[in-house]
Amino acid sequence: IAIGSRLISGGQTTRCLSREIVSRFYNQLLRLVFQTRIQDTQCGFKVLSAAASKTLLPQVEDRGWFWDSELLLAAERQGWRILEHPIRWVENPDSRVAVCRTAWLNLCGIYRLRRRFSRTKQDLLSRTLKKVGDNESVSVTPGEPNEQNQSS
């Protein structure tokens, strides 16, 4: 997966200060919440292999401006290699994007995706514990040593 990035070294951006602040805050929030390395999820330039498209696009639930963040976060989580390439980006002065509404919907998307990723992690943990439980019986009483938690 290759994406354009306004926010990495070599990227150039010409836009109003308010949009610059919102963009940087949003991408910083994604890095904080999802522990992502992606610097700019919403640049607009995305190239996916056929295999990546076939695997990832059906997983994207959002139909608004959050879709590309969702796509890239899912891709990174599933181990797809993501290459960010610096680009030169100039704001369209006639843009019709409603920044406040879009910011709110993106926050809703972050919440939804965080819950989905948490459920996925919990499901994986439950399946793993069930497998362990099916293969061996382990009884642990807190504070009492057993074979698995003997102190040396």
Side-chain angles (χ1 to χ4, degrees):
I1 299 171
I3 64 173
S5 180
R6 301 163 287 192
L7 304 178
I8 63 171
S9 179
Q12 299 175 3
T13 304
T14 304
R15 63 176 156 189
C16 68
L17 181 60
S18 61
R19 285 192 178 214
E20 184 69 19
I21 290 169
V22 168
S23 175
R24 289 185 182 272
F25 174 79
Y26 174 73
N27 281 288
Q28 187 63 36
L29 182 61
L30 290 180
R31 285 192 294 281
L32 177 69
V33 171
F34 295 102
Q35 302 297 303
T36 182
R37 294 184 193 155
I38 303 167
Q39 298 295 309
D40 188 2
T41 61
Q42 292 193 312
C43 174
F45 174 79
K46 315 257 182 307
V47 178
L48 284 75
S49 67
S53 294
K54 185 176 180 180
T55 301
L56 296 167
L57 289 175
Q59 299 175 33
V60 176
E61 295 175 12
D62 194 82
R63 297 296 178 246
W65 291 107
F66 186 71
W67 80 270
D68 45 1
S69 297
E70 185 174 357
L71 173 86
L72 293 172
L73 292 166
E76 183 178 58
R77 185 174 176 86
Q78 294 171 38
W80 290 90
R81 186 168 171 243
I82 300 171
L83 172 66
E84 288 190 89
H85 185 75
I87 58 141
R88 182 173 180 272
W89 190 84
V90 178
E91 179 180 43
N92 177 358
D94 196 34
S95 174
R96 302 283 189 240
V97 175
V99 175
C100 290
R101 177 169 165 68
T102 300
W104 171 251
L105 292 173
N106 283 351
L107 289 173
C108 292
I110 290 169
Y111 176 75
R112 179 183 48 77
L113 193 59
R114 182 72 181 139
R115 286 180 49 108
R116 186 172 97 198
F117 284 176
S118 292
R119 280 193 311 270
T120 304
K121 195 180 226 179
Q122 290 169 354
D123 291 346
L124 179 61
L125 180 60
S126 294
R127 285 194 307 268
T128 302
L129 289 175
K130 183 171 176 3
K131 267 188 181 175
V132 168
D134 289 346
N135 293 330
E136 59 187 54
S137 178
V138 178
S139 176
V140 177
T141 305
E144 292 183 13
N146 65 23
E147 292 175 1
Q148 281 74 31
N149 67 359
Q150 292 271 337
S151 50
S152 305

